[in-house]
Amino acid sequence: GAAIWFNLGNCYFLQKDKPQALVCWLRAKKNAPLKLWNMINENIKLITKDKEIDTYFSLFKNYINYIVFFYPLFFFQIFLLSILFIFCFLLLFMIRKGRYFICVILLSFFFLPAYLLLYKYKEVNCKIGVIKNKDVCVYAIPNQDAHKKSMLKKSSVVLIDQQIDSWYKIKKGVVNGWVQNHNIISVY
């Protein structure tokens, strides 16, 4: 469970193996209760010290993440469709009455469930990795002779888009490109 991954991450951190500690803490975060969730976030901040990586720093987003991890994608799809049906009915009613300001407010409330659905879809289909080696090159194409686009530091968290042979196509902020898979530890 989450507590085991959390403790394993703490052990790796004490042994100065930061990439492996980060992998364990990210795995623990997948099923962690809220109290442990906050402790995991604090530990991740010790390693990353990067605002771009730490997407869980605000209270609102932390709560949204907590909600999204515990409900399946199907629940969010059904919820969004029911909200859409109710909003369409209310919008038609308000337009007939000429209350356009209320229509704008109703539409803005529709975007929160849509955001949750999009976030859940991204969480379900997203593969995360941690850079385990020092100064890893990001290439334009999956070839070592290709143009080097950027360098990634050890313990950087990246999104893995796809895999071709021994290469991962990754994203980290504005940097995207190809990295050899022996430089990345896949989280999930």
Side-chain angles (χ1 to χ4, degrees):
I4 294 170
W5 283 114
F6 177 71
N7 289 331
L8 190 59
N10 290 341
C11 292
Y12 279 121
F13 184 75
L14 291 174
Q15 293 176 350
K16 308 269 190 265
D17 189 354
K18 292 180 181 178
Q20 203 63 41
L22 191 56
V23 167
C24 290
W25 289 332
L26 289 170
R27 287 178 180 163
K29 200 174 200 178
K30 191 98 171 152
N31 297 320
L34 191 57
K35 188 175 182 179
L36 185 59
W37 182 284
N38 293 329
M39 291 174 18
I40 293 168
N41 283 336
E42 291 301 317
N43 286 0
I44 290 173
K45 286 179 189 177
L46 290 174
I47 292 179
T48 58
K49 297 177 186 169
D50 188 357
K51 297 288 185 207
E52 187 178 308
I53 292 171
D54 184 21
T55 58
Y56 308 104
F57 59 91
S58 73
L59 227 95
F60 174 72
K61 198 152 189 183
N62 197 3
Y63 183 69
I64 295 298
N65 282 326
Y66 188 73
I67 290 172
V68 167
F69 277 123
F70 288 103
Y71 291 104
L73 184 60
F74 178 73
F75 170 79
F76 284 105
Q77 291 171 332
I78 297 299
F79 180 70
L80 186 64
L81 286 174
S82 62
I83 294 293
L84 181 63
F85 178 74
I86 292 168
F87 279 153
C88 287
F89 178 74
L90 288 173
L91 281 174
L92 288 174
F93 181 73
M94 291 299 158
I95 289 173
R96 285 186 186 164
K97 296 284 186 178
R99 297 180 181 159
Y100 300 109
F101 180 72
I102 295 174
C103 292
V104 172
I105 292 172
L106 286 174
L107 282 174
S108 64
F109 279 118
F110 174 71
F111 288 109
L112 180 63
Y115 173 75
L116 287 174
L117 179 65
L118 181 66
Y119 200 79
K120 180 64 178 183
Y121 182 76
K122 182 181 171 188
E123 181 260 325
V124 166
N125 293 316
C126 180
K127 192 173 180 184
I128 296 175
V130 176
I131 302 295
K132 68 177 179 178
N133 297 330
K134 198 174 191 176
D135 297 328
V136 174
C137 293
V138 179
Y139 296 96
I141 59 173
N143 186 343
Q144 282 187 328
D145 298 329
H147 170 69
K148 295 178 183 175
K149 294 176 82 175
S150 181
M151 299 287 281
L152 291 175
K153 295 180 182 178
K154 187 176 184 178
S155 301
S156 296
V157 177
V158 295
L159 298 176
I160 300 171
D161 279 345
Q162 68 184 52
Q163 181 178 4
I164 295 179
D165 297 329
S166 64
W167 292 84
Y168 283 134
K169 185 173 184 181
I170 58 104
K171 284 185 186 176
K172 180 186 176 344
V174 295
V175 176
N176 58 7
W178 295 87
V179 175
Q180 288 185 320
N181 63 4
H182 65 81
N183 293 316
I184 295 179
I185 303 170
S186 180
V187 177
Y188 46 82

